[in-house]
Amino acid sequence: MSKTRQLEPLFYPKSIAVIGATNKKDKIGHIIFSRLKHSGARLFPVHPKEAEIMGVPAYPDVAALPEKIDLAITTISADKTVSVIKACAAHGVKAAIIIASGFGEIGEEGKKLEEELKAIHDEYGLEILGPNTLGIFLPETGLDTIFVEHGDKALAGGGSIAFITQSGSVGTEALGVASNTGYGMRAFVGLGNKILLNETDFLEYFYEDKQVNCIAIYAESIDDGKVFLEKAKKIAKEKAIIVLKAGRSAAGQHAVSSHTGKLAGSDRVVNGAFHQYGIQRAFDEEEICDASKTLSMLPLPKGNRVAVITAAGGYGVMCTDYIEQKYPRAELKMAELNNKTREKISEINLSFASSHNPIDITASATDQMYVDTLDTVLSDSGVDIVICFVFFSPPGFSEDLIDLVAQRVKNSRKPIIVFTEFGPYTDGLLKKFYDRGVVGFSSIYRTVRAVRFLEERSRIVRNLGGNGND
Amino acid sequence: MSKTRQLEPLFYPKSIAVIGATNKKDKIGHIIFSRLKHSGARLFPVHPKEAEIMGVPAYPDVAALPEKIDLAITTISADKTVSVIKACAAHGVKAAIIIASGFGEIGEEGKKLEEELKAIHDEYGLEILGPNTLGIFLPETGLDTIFVEHGDKALAGGGSIAFITQSGSVGTEALGVASNTGYGMRAFVGLGNKILLNETDFLEYFYEDKQVNCIAIYAESIDDGKVFLEKAKKIAKEKAIIVLKAGRSAAGQHAVSSHTGKLAGSDRVVNGAFHQYGIQRAFDEEEICDASKTLSMLPLPKGNRVAVITAAGGYGVMCTDYIEQKYPRAELKMAELNNKTREKISEINLSFASSHNPIDITASATDQMYVDTLDTVLSDSGVDIVICFVFFSPPGFSEDLIDLVAQRVKNSRKPIIVFTEFGPYTDGLLKKFYDRGVVGFSSIYRTVRAVRFLEERSRIVRNLGGNGND
């Protein structure tokens, strides 16, 4: 599986045939075809009877297609798929995405179909993504084969994360929520049953893609673990790799009913291997989104010393507890501010503010006090990372703080990460931060966890001798 | 501190004097006075010059008040407070809420003022909440002294949680977010500097309040830990007690600048004591809200065996991993379904659904398959708790599922807890579930954590020989 794949036709097809395209609304072939109209590729619907699909001339079968085709997308049922894929291969189609389920995941009969598909690949070289996959979404070009609701407007903003997932729902449902507060995706790849193309192939592909700086993978099995790890180690010098390997527990593994990759088995082995090869682990759908968002947007810290600025004392205390208790899986510590920094903070703020880290500027502070304090903390050489608790209910704070903090995020070589919450406005405020390049969360736990990923990544880069995002 | 307090005048005052009430908008005395107009109590604004405040006749000073007053609320500055409280006491006022900051938390001068306030209490018996507090919010009557934005419309729905907090911001900001997806509060109490009334007093008060079934406490210090623990042990037989004790780490304790309660010191000691006395711990602002919401709404499980129903395989696997890995702090395990249950699940669902726990009914299932499966699982004697992953993007599911699941939650003696997410509609869907009596979350981690609190609580009740919520 380690030969180099030709994946350009999959991501940048000049021509796409859609076998199963239909004028019947609510059908998958209709949803996908209508989405592809925005992809910029020449479209060739294939339909046995219709003369046109949504105004585009249709062809009765694959053999009738008038030119060489880069990518075929099939939405027809499993039993009809093999013969159509064979016809595609014979016609010179370079790559195919097979959407239908009903293959290996249902049992022996489906596995037999998969073997036939592999044989077609072996004979003709046609690359196959799937079957049983949501396919590809590339916000840059508008290529989009995802047929379920996926918050596409939000995700279409683009970014530098490649999100590769063995489970369609993990991709769409989790990313749909992540996009509420901002999530920048370069590409989405649904692996499906991955009879040919797998996580390693796309890892390698996105290594070459200069617009990608972070690769997030949800996997229930990893094919050919050794090759995967070796490639990951090389790539992790330059790009963050986060893997959510589901099926950690015995019962979880049992639930992973399909293929068992070579990395399955002891979760301790997976953990050790990932650590050694520079892969960062996530354990749930929210964590993989939070981690990839953070790693794709922020510079890496030079060390693990965190300063916390808050206008609400209790939040500073809880955050300090998480940082100092090395939880969750953190190697962070509270920065010790130098005397000059502390004096300056005292000058900036009201007499009852605390200049000790966590710095509590109190709910009587103003926007100006906030950013002056932030600037002071950033200039302290004993600080590697700053967590900013930003509240909007105290009367001295306004939404101007969003821009003011964003300026510091933009100009600082130290990572700054924001916590904010304000009742029903919470997600909207986080989205405003995101739109200005600021990573933010509305839970202390998630905020510290995101910082942990940054710090872990900086250690990985140092250990591997790489250069990270810089 | 263990003498029984007379707190009725604080929660159910028939008459309230507001010293500092003003017609000047944006002033705290204005905000509080205008909120109190909905409280049903007779209001007596005290103002040196104005003849009326917002149309209510004002009095020049406390001595001029025309009748005995249950509750005085002062919004005047710290330096003017002592003489006013003395006048209140002399006039027979039974309880006072002191909103102003500038007392013990700013140093020696403020501590001296607090000693003077305590002396007034000792002489006259007037109960004092605060100073430096947001006071009280009682949705039932509309008594509300919180002067910052606090999502009051959502919180005002009422419920059975008493939320006692030493930090105003932890109360208002965290509860503001919790109320987006539904949070049912019987009462909010801000302790402030708690020079007299403290967590133990309110713990005892809410023990007697039949409408409260769950007491949540955010504390940075606990006064007289031994008395607190003894009372907690008695109360925990009947009502859930969740304590977020901030300042777990040395740096966190340092950040807790004010009083150091007797329970401060080693966090391991706190942990052991809480465990022994039936108190459940939360570690952050989100967890205390999630836990109290869950414990206040759901019946307790008879055991720790969890069944998981999902339409997305990956979510079932990740959930299983969390359950089986005893994380976070869980003693849960996956239920083993009996053969009859599995056969029935297979009959109900499509051929490629999985009848093994986690039960994956697949994205091709329908509302009816979902609830038939749920009914079948609930009737299996090997199942104590059910987690339902409810997705709305698959075509066979509709919002009818909310009502259908809610009916089961209402009629089942086993706790059912929901996970759902659907892009921008997520919070709205969770709120719809909540409005129908269903506890739900949009993260696997938080869902399993909530189940953990239920299971832990059921063990506590068994150990203490209590009867829980039943």
Side-chain angles (χ1 to χ4, degrees), chain A residues 5 20 30 64 89 140 144 191 316 428:
Chain A
R5 302 287 186 175
H30 184 88
E140 182 193 23
D144 182 0
L191 294 175

Side-chain angles (χ1 to χ4, degrees), chain B residues 387-398:
Chain B
I387 294 178
C388 290
F389 285 81
V390 181
F391 295 99
F392 294 95
S393 49
F397 295 133
S398 74

Side-chain angles (χ1 to χ4, degrees), chain B residues 128-406:
Chain B
I128 296 175
L129 178 62
N132 189 22
T133 178
L134 290 177
I136 302 242
F137 177 40
L138 204 65
E140 182 193 23
T141 65
L143 179 71
D144 181 1
T145 71
I146 303 176
F147 59 90
V148 297
E149 166 74 39
H150 58 95
D152 48 330
K153 275 181 201 142
L155 286 177
S160 53
I161 302 162
F163 197 98
I164 303 164
T165 177
Q166 197 173 346
S167 155
S169 57
V170 171
T172 55
E173 305 285 359
L175 289 176
V177 167
S179 66
N180 291 341
T181 53
Y183 189 80
M185 212 168 63
R186 163 73 175 150
F188 169 97
V189 178
L191 294 175
N193 292 5
K194 50 178 182 168
I195 59 168
L196 289 164
L197 295 175
N198 63 25
E199 52 284 338
T200 306
D201 298 312
F202 290 101
L203 193 63
E204 203 167 10
Y205 178 79
F206 289 119
Y207 175 51
E208 302 294 339
D209 183 339
K210 289 199 166 53
Q211 290 185 55
V212 168
N213 67 5
C214 176
I215 301 167
I217 302 175
Y218 171 86
E220 294 173 358
S221 64
I222 291 178
D223 304 341
D224 204 347
K226 203 170 157 229
V227 175
F228 177 82
L229 289 172
E230 286 298 342
K231 288 205 192 296
K233 190 171 184 175
K234 183 184 70 177
I235 295 168
K237 284 183 196 177
E238 293 171 42
K239 305 187 180 194
I241 303 174
I242 306 146
V243 177
L244 198 175
K245 168 70 182 64
R248 291 182 283 147
S249 61
Q253 278 173 29
H254 188 276
V256 175
S257 55
S258 56
H259 7 240
T260 308
K262 299 228 170 59
L263 269 185
S266 162
D267 190 62
R268 221 172 286 170
V269 173
V270 173
N271 216 30
F274 279 15
H275 180 73
Q276 191 186 336
Y277 288 80
I279 297 167
Q280 298 184 263
R281 289 195 85 175
F283 293 114
D284 63 49
E285 83 295 354
E286 190 175 72
E287 188 173 17
I288 193 172
C289 294
D290 286 0
S292 49
K293 174 177 175 169
T294 304
L295 290 168
S296 73
M297 290 174 69
L298 289 178
L300 295 179
K302 303 295 175 206
N304 65 349
R305 299 164 300 175
V306 186
V308 176
I309 302 174
T310 181
Y315 281 81
V317 177
M318 289 187 280
C319 184
T320 298
D321 283 344
Y322 269 135
I323 289 168
E324 286 281 311
Q325 302 242 323
K326 318 290 177 215
Y327 177 81
R329 309 191 308 284
E331 293 199 14
L332 305 172
K333 63 180 182 186
M334 291 295 282
E336 283 194 36
L337 305 177
N338 67 43
N339 287 340
K340 215 177 112 193
T341 302
R342 294 192 56 188
E343 275 163 32
K344 192 119 184 259
I345 292 171
S346 295
E347 278 166 32
I348 293 164
N349 290 287
L350 299 165
S351 62
F352 45 95
S354 166
S355 67
H356 194 277
N357 188 22
I359 302 142
D360 181 5
I361 63 172
T362 85
S364 303
T366 62
D367 291 352
Q368 197 58 50
M369 290 178 193
Y370 200 106
V371 289
D372 287 348
T373 304
L374 175 53
D375 287 337
T376 305
V377 169
L378 283 169
S379 69
D380 188 320
S381 60
V383 172
D384 300 307
I385 306 160
V386 182
I387 294 178
C388 290
F389 285 81
V390 181
F391 295 99
F392 294 95
S393 49
F397 295 133
S398 74
E399 284 202 22
D400 293 347
L401 255 182
I402 299 175
D403 279 320
L404 292 169
V405 170

Side-chain angles (χ1 to χ4, degrees), chain A residues 110-121:
Chain A
K111 286 207 176 82
K112 220 183 113 214
L113 295 177
E114 290 185 351
E115 289 307 316
E116 292 175 36
L117 290 169
K118 282 193 242 181
I120 297 169
H121 164 79

Side-chain angles (χ1 to χ4, degrees), chain A residues 149 169 173-174 177 180 218 220 247-249 252 284-285 312 314-315 317 320-322 325 393 421-424 443-444, chain B residues 149 169 173-174 177 180 218 220 247-249 252 284-285 312 314-315 317 320-322 325 393 421-424 443-444:
Chain A
E149 166 73 40
S169 57
E173 305 286 358
V177 167
N180 290 342
Y218 171 87
E220 293 174 359
R248 293 182 282 146
S249 60
D284 63 47
E285 82 296 353
Y315 282 80
V317 177
T320 298
D321 283 343
Y322 270 135
Q325 303 242 322
S393 48
E421 66 184 2
F422 193 13
S443 117
I444 299 172
Chain B
E149 166 74 39
S169 57
E173 305 285 359
V177 167
N180 291 341
Y218 171 86
E220 294 173 358
R248 291 182 283 147
S249 61
D284 63 49
E285 83 295 354
Y315 281 81
V317 177
T320 298
D321 283 344
Y322 269 135
Q325 302 242 323
S393 49
E421 65 184 1
F422 194 13
S443 117
I444 299 172

Side-chain angles (χ1 to χ4, degrees), chain A residues 71-93:
Chain A
L71 175 64
I73 299 169
T74 71
T75 65
I76 52 177
S77 61
D79 58 316
K80 295 179 186 155
T81 298
V82 174
S83 61
V84 162
I85 291 294
K86 181 140 198 175
C88 286
H91 194 269
V93 172

Side-chain angles (χ1 to χ4, degrees), chain A residues 389-437:
Chain A
F389 285 81
V390 181
F391 294 99
F392 294 96
S393 48
F397 295 133
S398 74
E399 283 203 22
D400 293 349
L401 254 181
I402 298 175
D403 279 321
L404 293 168
V405 170
Q407 286 163 18
R408 274 71 186 179
V409 168
K410 196 177 169 189
N411 296 324
S412 171
R413 292 184 63 87
K414 296 177 182 177
I416 299 167
I417 199 156
V418 162
F419 167 102
T420 197
E421 66 184 2
F422 193 13
Y425 316 110
T426 302
D427 281 5
L429 289 164
L430 288 169
K431 187 60 167 43
K432 282 185 189 172
F433 272 116
Y434 171 81
D435 289 340
R436 288 156 183 79

